[in-house]
Amino acid sequence: MSSGEPPLPKPPPSADQLFQAALLLEKQARPADAKRLYLAVLSREPSHGLALHNLGLLHYRNGHAKEAVDLITRALEHLPDSAIARNNLANALLAVGQVDQAIDEYKRALSVEPDYAEAHNNLGNGLVAAHRLTEAAAHYQRAIELKPNYAEAHYTAGSALLTAGQLQEAISRF
C-alpha cells in the first residue's frame, strides 16, 4: 500500500464478536452496555440463542421476569438441549406465578442434565410453591448430595422443613 492511498475500512464486528464483548461487559458489571450489545447481536443474527438467553437473564435480574420468559422461550427454540436455559426459564416462570409451568421446565432441565444441583434446588422451590413439600424435600436432598457445600440448598431445605412443621430436622439444615 502506498502512502497516498486511504486505509482499507475495517469490517464490522461479527455477531459472535459482539456476543463475546457483551459477556465481558457483564463480567465488568455493565449490564446496560451488555444489553446494547446483545441487541446488536440479535439485529444481525435474530436466532442467536445464547444472546437471547443472556438478554433474558439481564431482564430477569432487573425484575422484568415476563420479558425474561419471552426471551428465554425464544432462546430455547435454538438451544433445546440447554439445561441452564430451561432452569432459567423456570425461574422466570416461577417469578411471574406460573408455578406448574415452572415445575415442568425444571423437570425438563433435569431430563437433560440429571445431576444439575441448582435445578434440583429450584425444582424444590417450585414444589414448595405448589405445596408439595414431600417432593420438594427429595429434590433439596438430591441437590445437597450432588453439592454437599451448596449453602442455598441447605437453607431452602431447612425452610421447607420449617414450613412442614419439622423443627428439629430444619434446625439440622441451618
Side-chain angles (χ1 to χ4, degrees), residues 1-2 9 11-12 37 44 52 59-60 67 69-71 74 77 80 84 88 104 118 139 157 171-173:
M1 176 165 140
S2 69
L37 287 186
R44 292 176 190 199
L52 286 163
H59 281 279
Y60 177 75
E67 291 84 352
V69 168
D70 295 339
L71 287 161
R74 285 178 45 207
E77 293 171 11
I84 292 170
N88 290 330
D104 290 342
E118 289 79 3
H139 286 282
I171 289 171
S172 71
R173 294 286 176 197

Side-chain angles (χ1 to χ4, degrees), residues 26-47:
E26 277 198 81
K27 287 183 181 187
Q28 296 172 353
R30 296 173 54 190
D33 292 328
K35 178 181 178 182
R36 182 178 51 78
L37 287 186
Y38 287 134
L39 290 169
V41 169
L42 294 169
S43 72
R44 292 176 190 199
E45 193 178 319
S47 63

Side-chain angles (χ1 to χ4, degrees), residues 83-84 86-88 90-91 94 102-129 132-148 150 152-154 156-157 160:
I84 292 170
R86 292 206 175 277
N87 180 66
N88 290 330
N91 288 339
L94 197 58
I103 290 169
D104 290 342
E105 281 302 325
Y106 290 128
K107 288 179 178 179
R108 286 186 188 105
L110 289 168
S111 74
V112 172
E113 192 175 327
D115 292 338
Y116 187 4
E118 289 79 3
H120 278 286
N121 182 69
N122 294 337
L123 175 54
N125 294 340
L127 292 166
V128 166
R132 294 161 53 185
L133 300 179
T134 303
E135 289 175 77
H139 286 282
Y140 291 137
Q141 184 58 42
R142 182 65 181 136
I144 292 165
E145 289 168 3
L146 292 166
K147 285 176 83 172
Y150 186 13
E152 185 178 343
H154 284 280
T156 52

